Amino acid sequence: MKAVGYYTPGDLERDDALTDMELPRPEPGATDLLVRVSAIAVNPVDTKIRRNRAPEQGQAQVLGWDAVGIVESVGSQVAGFAPGDRVYYAGAINRPGSNAEYQAVDYRIAARAPSSLSDAQAAALPLTTITAWELLFDRLAVTEGGGKGQSLLVIGAAGGVGSILVQLARQLTQLTVIGTAARAESADWVRQHGAHQVIDHSRPMQPQLEALGLDGVTMVASLTHTSEHFEQYVECLAPQGKLALIDDFESLDILKLKPKSLSLHWEFMFTRSLHQTPDMAEQGRLLARVAELVDAGTLRTTLGEHFGTINAANLRRAHALLESHRARGKIVLEGF
């Protein structure tokens, strides 16, 4: 099968950073779907792994943690799926990724794709939607329909996770949603996805919140550059507020959270599949719920740019845009 991957990790400038290759078709396990991949999306995790993770000697690393495709076959323990089903999913970080014609994925973390979206539109959703849903409803413990009188500040709201988190918070809760964006076109994108207000994270944030009539916010979702903005979060959060994080950094001085009794919450959407948790199937269920919400018109795709067919050259372009930190929404590729 056709695939895109690498044998040696490193910077994008390397000639072999991402290459077109032929690999054996995967053999599905008992709980797997074998999926013929139709469309994929690219996420910051792809660039991090490409730079840092070395595959086993002689083995290729295939990236990709967003896909839409057609089920070719199912394992002996699979329930609820059959060949011919059109599915979407984010996969598992410890298994070969979706930048390939075929992929094996555990059925518990997959769902039927929204029928109202094209393959490319649907591919933009899984990883970021799972991340945003778990962050909002599991980590921050907001209830659907709840949050009245409370506020959520979303840092980097024009990115992939931010674009869907703003929608979920606006459509499914009563939270006041404030997004951040540093460029005019990004601010417009955030407003289009439902933010009540938008502020600029490249300038001091507390004065901007005060100008909106907010002394502090109840919750902060830090989706990027946490270490750069951490002290501002402490300033902006109201006493007993909550801070949720998804990005990587070397360290934080968490003692600064103590005077206000602020709590810190990590979200890593691969936790359930990586550790085979008893509630692993929750990811499949939430993707099924999101598909219903999309088909009902409550949520919409966060597709930002379509980079063409799935090949090494186009994936290089996608990785470069993500590493520039100037992407809006999700970058998708489609077909081989």
Side-chain angles (χ1 to χ4, degrees), residues 3 28 38 51 58 76 80 87 93 122 125 128 152 173-174 184 194 220 227-228 242 276 284 320 332:
S38 304
R51 291 192 300 266
S76 60
V87 296
I93 200 168
L125 289 172
T128 50
L152 171 67
T173 78
Q174 298 185 64
V220 170
S227 57
E228 178 182 336
K242 298 179 179 181
Q276 297 283 298
V332 302

Side-chain angles (χ1 to χ4, degrees), residues 109-132:
I109 58 174
R112 288 175 180 79
S115 60
S116 60
L117 297 184
S118 69
D119 290 341
Q121 290 170 329
L125 289 172
L127 184 146
T128 50
T129 298
I130 294 169
T131 299

Side-chain angles (χ1 to χ4, degrees), residues 114-289:
S115 60
S116 60
L117 297 184
S118 69
D119 290 341
Q121 290 170 329
L125 289 172
L127 184 146
T128 50
T129 298
I130 294 169
T131 299
W133 187 287
E134 291 182 348
L135 184 151
L136 183 62
F137 297 119
D138 296 342
R139 312 301 169 231
L140 293 176
V142 179
T143 58
E144 287 193 50
K148 186 175 182 179
Q150 298 181 306
S151 51
L152 171 67
L153 176 62
V154 181
I155 309 300
V161 175
S163 297
I164 191 65
L165 177 57
V166 166
Q167 291 187 65
L168 291 172
R170 182 62 190 268
Q171 296 296 331
L172 301 184
T173 78
Q174 298 185 64
L175 291 168
T176 296
V177 184
I178 306 102
T180 79
R183 295 178 290 137
E185 58 269 34
S186 298
D188 288 342
W189 175 274
V190 175
R191 292 188 187 94
Q192 290 167 16
H193 283 77
H196 292 94
Q197 303 286 350
V198 181
I199 65 174
D200 184 349
H201 54 246
S202 69
R203 299 189 291 116
M205 288 185 269
Q206 181 62 18
Q208 297 179 75
L209 292 173
E210 291 173 355
L212 297 174
L214 295 169
D215 293 331
V217 294
T218 315
M219 291 164 265
V220 170
S222 182
L223 310 179
T224 185
H225 294 96
T226 291
S227 57
E228 178 182 336
H229 301 304
F230 179 68
E231 293 193 6
Q232 291 198 70
Y233 300 158
V234 175
E235 180 183 17
C236 293
L237 277 163
Q240 303 181 81
K242 298 179 179 181
L243 171 60
L245 315 176
I246 69 168
D247 61 333
D248 299 329
F249 44 82
E250 290 189 4
S251 64
L252 292 176
D253 183 2
I254 61 171
L255 282 176
K256 293 182 177 180
L257 303 177
K258 184 176 181 179
K260 288 185 176 179
S261 294
L262 304 176
S263 56
L264 187 148
H265 308 263
W266 275 110
E267 164 55 23
F268 185 53
M269 63 79 54
F270 293 116
T271 294
R272 281 171 160 147
S273 57
L274 185 62
H275 296 281
Q276 297 283 298
T277 60
D279 65 348
M280 183 171 158
E282 285 301 315
Q283 290 194 340
R285 283 191 280 269
L286 80 83
L287 285 177
R289 173 80 192 290

Side-chain angles (χ1 to χ4, degrees), residues 79-95:
F81 294 94
D85 287 343
R86 178 173 173 263
V87 296
Y88 76 147
Y89 55 87
I93 200 168
N94 57 341
R95 301 188 69 179

